[in-house]
Amino acid sequence: MKLDAVFSKVVEDIRDLRIQGATNIAIEGIKAFSELTERLEVSTLDNLFSELEKARQALATARATEPALRNGLRYIIYNLRDKAASIQEAREIVNTFSLDYVNLLKESKKKVISYGAHRIKDGSIIMTHCHSSLSTGIVLEAHHQGKDIQVFCTETRPRYQGRITAKEFVDAGITTTQVVDSAMRWVINRYNVDIVITGADAITSQGTVINKIGTRLLALAAREMDVPFYTAINLLKYDPETSIGKLSEIEMRSASEIWENPPKGLNFLNPAFETVSHDLIDGIISEAGVFSPAVVYLIVKEKYPFMMINEE
Ligand code: RUB
């Protein structure tokens, strides 16, 4: 059986960045999985499980560097296996644990925003990169609290997610300046940026953060100028495979995003993300508090035991 058009459209929207940012991707992906489960016309539980496995695969591979979505699917399937005696029961389990996971994402986002806003002082000049709903949420919250802030944000070539960020800030009435990506160091130096905050797609067992390409450059520039660099992240983005020695995959995207009609024979590289090692990060702002990324494994193990995998 082919997965239906409504579900396939969500997978396409994730792949083509019409749904972007790790938290939005996880929320929309989990909702699509749950709604598909309601619609599937199957006659046995085995059929249902095999359709759900196809759906899980399609979502899990839509973007390579999105553990928050994969962890959510694992959470639902872990609670489903061996626990459903009928199709109806299976549907209810998927619905319950999908809602539960989406709720975890939303509640953790609220905490990240609230803790992050405490870190922003009145009068701050803030710099960010790409579009992260967690880091923009922090800046918007600081503004709503009446803090007088200014923001610099990058364009984020080649897909210009920085424009989404810039628009959100301008619409909220925040003084905002957009710069080309290659001006990121120049801005920090020239405009006395006080704090850099970005989002993250993933965090590994060693506390390495993965975020939009350019994030490590920004962290290096911040370090050069002694400007604190923070990552706003919920811990549902932990990549559990890294704790058993595997490496997080970095998504490579199509060359056509860079140049639609390039000269023949030209090679391209279009990595979507890059790693920032924990020594360049002053703190992660998470739902469990603000702390060094180096201790993330211990905190995730305690807070989200369902994420731990144990392969022999
Ligand atoms: C978006 C990006 C964001 C993280 C975090 O990349 O790198 O910083 O996904 O987002 P893309 P959030 O546009 O390629 O998805 O804070 O909303 O989870």
Side-chain angles (χ1 to χ4, degrees), residues 265-283:
L266 179 62
N267 300 322
F268 285 94
L269 286 172
N270 187 14
F273 302 109
E274 71 179 334
T275 60
V276 186
S277 46
H278 66 79
D279 52 302
L280 290 173
I281 300 172
D282 287 272

Side-chain angles (χ1 to χ4, degrees), residues 119-133:
R119 215 19 78 115
I120 295 183
K121 293 191 202 125
D122 192 25
S124 289
I125 301 178
I126 304 159
M127 171 129 201
T128 189
H129 179 49
C130 195
H131 176 258
S132 140
S133 63

